[in-house]
Amino acid sequence: MDWPVPPPRAGTASHSPGGETTHRISGEQVARATREAQELAAQFEEDRPGRQLKGPVGVLLSAAALAVALLSLWQVFRPLSQGSKFYLIIFLAGVLPLVFLAYPAGLRTPWPLRRPSTDATPDATPDATPDATTSDATTPNGTTPNGTTPDAVASGGAAGGSPSRLDWALAALALVVCLYPVLPLAMGGGGGGYDAFLDRQGLLAPIDVVLGTVLLLLLLEACRRATGWVLPVVCLVFLGYGYYGGLLPQSWPVAHAGLDFTQLVDAFYNSDSGFYGTPLDVAASYIVLFTIYGAVLDLSGAGRFFVELSAGAFRRSRTAAGRTAVASGFLLGTVSGSGAATTVSIGAVTWPILRRAGYPAERAGGMLAAAGVGAILSPPTLGAAAFIIAEYLGVSYLRVLAWATIPTVLYYLGILLSVEIDARRFGARPVTIEVASAKRLLARSGYHFASLFVIIGGLAVGLSATRAVVIATLVAVGLSFLDRTHRLTPARLVTAAVAGVRGVLAVAAVCAAAGIITATTTKTGLGPQAAALLVGGAKAVSTDPTIVILLTAVLAAVALTLLGLAVPVTASFVIGWVIIGPALLDLGVAAPAAAMFVFYFAVLSEVSPPTALAAVAAAAVTGGRLVGTMWQALRYALPAYLAPIAFVVTPNGLGLLATGGPGRIAFATAASALGVALLAVAAGGWLPGVGRAGGPERILGAIAGLTLLWLEPVPVAVGVALAAATVTGCLFRRGIAAQSGEPRAGRPAELREEPT
């Protein structure tokens, strides 16, 4: 599938007489390519692209977003005396109206919804070049890359426009409904202020039910605008189950006593597990601050520095092109919490380098997608679900970062080995990247790392994650004045704050709507019932406890992967935790292992066919075939699919989460690293330092890699023996090839013959 989108490019190239390509990268070229990439990235985010409003409307919305940012900062140091739920009510009242104004409806109606206006420019940055991608570019099937039709765009769809009359009406209604619980006005037997509203829990007044229902509908519409139809439909399915589940035959495991509509609205609107539950608390307390921090880093030039540093570190390496792409993905994860956005950002700069090295579009796209998704998995700024883990398990965010460290190392180990294998097996052409040396770049702009160290240091000395990130943001603001071109003046600081709040709008809507799922699951007892079904299915195959855990983990992985194809990562984690989490816990899996298992498979939906948003974004940059790019991304990301299973099926798997003492951690890390290396050899067909791996060696390597991930002494010993056999086979094959005069490495032309 070809996307008619001109890929953004950075850099110029020249060729030496010996055939080596020199690629020059300047800071200005990186900045220009990044600006073009931001527009392209919006088409492949989990969140639909929204309006870029200017003029009086833009000023008004920016002022509202700034007020939300200031409230979030105030809550860190001077929490509202009425409690956290009061703050969540105010926060939702601030962000939900903005969703209706920032995200167009995208619906065809028989009447005009939008007045002609010049106050908005749809999804374009001021510095975008004329040939940059536009959101009304269509694919061969007549849709834009984000799935909308040109007609929908014209009527206020993904391309945007100024807010319509309906948008303003929904925003005003959302403001009233969200503020109703705290308004000190008695009305229709309800109202009366915050305390009176809480006192009516379980005994809602009719007006409470009406306004709770309106808020329910508004949240579903906000999610539809921001993420598409799937999550609202899932929420409606849970709502229907809560209401009609009592009509199911009581012999069915998922049947319950039944709930009337008032009980459901009470659970959503006036309980701690509904709209104002843990997911929204995480969005309002953590995510908004980290998105502001990311915006500050971006405007201070950190993103540009990270790309240049990656290029400078490997500029004279034989595999400079691939290493630069992978390192850029890891470093840009501190600025962007989105796999698709990171993929496009690194692709804008590194795809021209990869192309000149001889990489085919599909293979390069798979590498870019895998590296981009790693941004969500990499400390110190993990995705939103990581904060929910900390809240659900009652641990510090630093502990969650520690759990994620070794799996992240294994993930990037697998990608880097695949890069090395591809370059040697297919004979990638050497590319010299002309950019300042890493030492010079660090001396000039290394201060961008300071704020990251502040976060880690703050968490280590006992600061909360919220205070640590606020202090880190202030440090980044102060250090920005070391670079004249990226100084965060008051005006640019306001821009960063507004951008941070803008980035949390869709997440807040998703988190509030996730309360429908969690509240229904809690009220009906669906979690334990679904867990019993999952475990029962595994026990129907075998009664051996080890086999039961393995089968349950595999079934859970499949279910989470399928779920992640349909809903955003945050919602996927919440649903997975309340449905699948109890099954793993019932089998004796430790809570950290169960939570991280659900987290990883929720995130991996971005590289899982057939949706694979990061792979779709990579294909748009490289112009490669979509299916081929998806499968290449899956190959590069393979370790991330297997490591989570490794740390739930055996007790020693906790060592991968840095838990259980130095001995267990060292054993689990060493065995898993060897397993990941063998799986890379099996997938790539090449053993670094030796040569080609034939069919028998690849099969042996795959079996050895899988065996090594079963972190018990006997399986690991068997895996080591199989690994030795794999290496021996490759050495034997190299000897035969040397006698016959075959080349040890492929020719550059072979890299272009991409099998799919």
Side-chain angles (χ1 to χ4, degrees):
M1 181 176 184
D2 295 325
W3 297 102
V5 179
R9 300 174 182 176
T12 58
S14 62
H15 299 272
S16 65
E20 180 175 313
T21 301
T22 300
H23 189 89
R24 299 181 180 88
I25 293 180
S26 68
E28 183 179 341
Q29 289 168 328
V30 172
R32 183 174 64 251
T34 301
R35 288 194 298 268
E36 296 175 3
Q38 288 172 345
E39 183 179 349
L40 179 60
Q43 302 177 22
F44 307 103
E45 295 269 21
E46 289 179 333
D47 312 335
R48 288 184 171 183
R51 301 179 174 109
Q52 294 291 340
L53 297 168
K54 294 184 177 180
V57 174
V59 172
L60 176 63
L61 298 190
S62 294
L66 180 61
V68 172
L70 294 176
L71 174 65
S72 303
L73 294 170
W74 180 272
Q75 181 70 8
V76 173
F77 297 100
R78 293 295 180 92
L80 300 179
S81 60
Q82 296 90 338
S84 61
K85 186 172 181 178
F86 186 91
Y87 165 65
L88 295 180
I89 291 173
I90 302 298
F91 179 83
L92 188 61
V95 298
L96 187 59
L98 294 180
V99 174
F100 293 106
L101 300 177
Y103 291 91
L107 295 173
R108 302 283 307 273
T109 60
W111 62 88
L113 293 178
R114 179 166 55 89
R115 297 184 302 274
S117 172
T118 59
D119 289 343
T121 56
D123 276 3
T125 57
D127 300 314
T129 57
D131 64 340
T133 179
T134 57
S135 49
D136 61 350
T138 56
T139 62
N141 62 5
T143 64
T144 60
N146 59 14
T148 58
T149 63
D151 291 333
V153 170
S155 64
S162 62
S164 67
R165 297 181 182 89
L166 177 61
D167 295 333
W168 285 108
L170 291 176
L173 183 61
L175 180 64
V176 172
V177 171
C178 288
L179 289 178
Y180 163 76
V182 300
L183 292 177
L185 302 173
M187 55 185 79
Y194 180 61
D195 292 335
F197 178 74
L198 294 182
D199 290 340
R200 293 194 298 274
Q201 185 172 359
L203 297 169
L204 295 185
I207 191 171
D208 296 334
V209 177
V210 170
L211 294 181
T213 303
V214 172
L215 181 56
L216 168 67
L217 296 174
L218 288 172
L219 284 172
L220 293 177
E221 169 60 10
C223 284
R224 186 199 65 79
R225 290 180 177 223
T227 67
W229 282 99
V230 176
L231 181 58
V233 170
V234 171
C235 291
L236 289 174
V237 168
F238 274 84
L239 177 64
Y241 170 73
Y243 188 74
Y244 292 106
L247 302 179
L248 297 174
Q250 292 302 303
S251 59
W252 289 16
V254 294
H256 59 86
L259 299 169
D260 62 37
F261 191 72
T262 300
Q263 289 176 301
L264 288 170
V265 173
D266 179 72
F268 301 152
Y269 198 31
N270 200 357
S271 77
D272 293 333
S273 62
F275 301 145
Y276 307 110
T278 298
L280 182 62
D281 189 14
V282 165
S285 302
Y286 298 97
I287 305 305
V288 65
L289 298 176
F290 274 85
T291 55
I292 292 172
Y293 169 66
V296 165
L297 274 184
D298 191 31
L299 285 178
S300 68
R304 165 181 164 179
F305 163 68
F306 291 149
V307 173
E308 290 182 344
L309 179 62
S310 300
F314 306 115
R315 56 183 181 155
R316 299 188 187 279
S317 168
R318 177 180 179 182
T319 53
R323 290 181 180 180
T324 298
V326 175
S328 298
F330 174 75
L331 292 174
L332 282 176
T334 60
V335 180
S336 170
S338 164
T342 305
T343 296
V344 173
S345 295
I346 61 177
V349 177
T350 60
W351 162 234
I353 308 173
L354 293 168
R355 184 178 63 245
R356 292 184 179 104
Y359 280 84
E362 291 78 14
R363 191 176 294 274
M367 181 196 306
L368 295 173
V373 169
I376 311 177
L377 304 173
S378 304
T381 50
L382 301 173
F387 296 99
I388 299 179
I389 291 175
E391 291 294 314
Y392 277 164
L393 300 187
V395 300
S396 69
Y397 181 60
L398 182 62
R399 180 67 61 86
V400 178
L401 293 183
W403 293 341
T405 299
I406 296 175
T408 298
V409 171
L410 294 175
Y411 180 75
Y412 279 100
L413 172 65
I415 297 178
L416 285 171
L417 285 173
S418 296
V419 168
E420 300 292 329
I421 287 170
D422 286 350
R424 284 162 174 78
R425 181 185 178 192
F426 298 110
R429 287 190 294 268
V431 177
T432 299
I433 304 174
E434 286 197 357
V435 68
S437 67
K439 184 181 295 186
R440 178 176 296 181
L441 288 168
L442 285 171
R444 186 184 68 196
S445 304
Y447 60 83
H448 287 298
F449 286 112
S451 62
L452 298 175
F453 295 140
V454 168
I455 293 178
I456 301 298
L459 294 173
V461 299
L463 286 180
S464 65
T466 53
R467 293 200 173 197
V469 74
V470 170
I471 294 173
T473 302
L474 295 176
V475 170
V477 171
L479 292 175
S480 70
F481 285 87
L482 296 176
D483 183 352
R484 291 184 178 181
T485 60
H486 292 95
R487 290 177 178 176
L488 286 174
T489 60
R492 300 186 78 229
L493 192 56
V494 168
T495 300
V498 171
V501 173
R502 175 68 181 262
V504 85
L505 294 182
V507 176
V510 168
C511 287
I516 300 171
I517 297 166
T518 56
T520 302
T521 303
T522 301
K523 295 288 286 187
T524 62
L526 177 61
Q529 294 165 344
L533 282 174
L534 187 61
V535 174
K539 287 183 176 179
V541 177
S542 173
T543 57
D544 182 88
T546 302
I547 301 300
V548 169
I549 291 179
L550 177 61
L551 290 175
T552 302
V554 172
L555 291 173
V558 172
L560 287 167
T561 301
L562 293 175
L563 178 65
L565 299 179
V567 299
V569 169
T570 304
S572 178
F573 173 80
V574 171
I575 299 171
W577 179 248
V578 300
I579 300 297
I580 293 172
L584 298 174
L585 296 175
D586 288 346
L587 291 174
V589 176
M596 296 302 288
F597 176 92
V598 176
F599 169 71
Y600 276 100
F601 279 103
V603 169
L604 288 172
S605 62
E606 291 216 3
V607 287
S608 299
T611 54
L613 293 178
V616 173
V621 172
T622 65
R625 289 169 293 135
L626 187 55
V627 174
T629 302
M630 286 182 177
W631 285 114
Q632 288 297 328
L634 193 63
R635 180 176 73 87
Y636 278 105
L638 180 62
Y641 286 89
L642 299 175
I645 295 178
F647 54 66
V648 300
V649 296
T650 63
N652 284 332
L654 284 173
L656 295 178
L657 302 179
T659 302
R664 173 186 281 183
I665 294 172
F667 171 78
T669 303
S672 299
L674 181 57
V676 167
L678 285 164
L679 289 171
V681 171
W686 188 273
L687 181 62
V690 177
R692 289 186 182 275
E697 292 83 20
R698 296 176 75 171
I699 294 173
L700 270 179
I703 296 173
L706 294 174
T707 306
L708 283 163
L709 291 175
W710 192 276
L711 299 173
E712 292 294 335
V714 173
V716 168
V718 173
V720 170
L722 292 174
T726 302
V727 174
T728 301
C730 291
L731 288 169
F732 181 73
R733 186 175 296 275
R734 185 180 72 171
I736 295 176
Q739 292 177 2
S740 61
E742 293 181 12
R744 288 185 58 189
R747 298 183 302 274
E750 292 181 3
L751 192 62
R752 300 183 179 278
E753 299 173 4
E754 175 64 24
T756 57

